Amino acid sequence: ELFATRGTVPAMSEALETQIKEAVAGSKVVIYSKSYCPFCNQVKALFNDLGQLDDAVVVELDQVPDGAELQGVLATMTGQRVTRRKPFR
């Protein structure tokens, strides 16, 4: 499994965990980003240069209503809080 849950995800966050797992399972590239993050922008530019950004699912955590919660669930799932750590399958 791509994500080995490292901590306990609260019940209210289970839907977000499912959403994350489904996005990763259903797409070649999923980028959880913040629009102002220079590292995230470098990753998006790289995928754009490779011609893969149009097929990617990009979630700007600072621009979606549940972005902070998504980042928290990602941190629980990956053991990392930073957005520049991208899981690849």
Side-chain angles (χ1 to χ4, degrees), residues 12-89:
M12 64 187 227
S13 298
E14 287 180 13
L16 293 176
E17 181 178 4
T18 299
Q19 177 185 335
I20 292 165
K21 288 180 177 182
E22 288 175 353
V24 171
S27 303
K28 281 187 172 183
V29 177
V30 180
I31 301 172
Y32 290 94
S33 172
K34 291 192 177 172
S35 62
Y36 57 83
C37 172
F39 300 107
C40 296
N41 290 331
Q42 287 176 348
V43 168
K44 291 181 285 190
L46 173 64
F47 279 97
N48 187 54
D49 291 347
L50 295 171
Q52 299 297 313
L53 194 59
D54 290 338
D55 295 328
V57 173
V58 179
V59 179
E60 298 292 358
L61 295 170
D62 60 312
Q63 296 178 355
V64 296
D66 55 358
E69 291 83 5
L70 272 169
Q71 187 171 3
V73 173
L74 283 164
T76 300
M77 293 171 72
T78 66
Q80 297 288 321
R81 182 125 186 107
V82 296
T83 56
R84 66 181 174 266
R85 180 168 187 234
K86 306 296 182 255
F88 293 88
R89 54 178 176 132

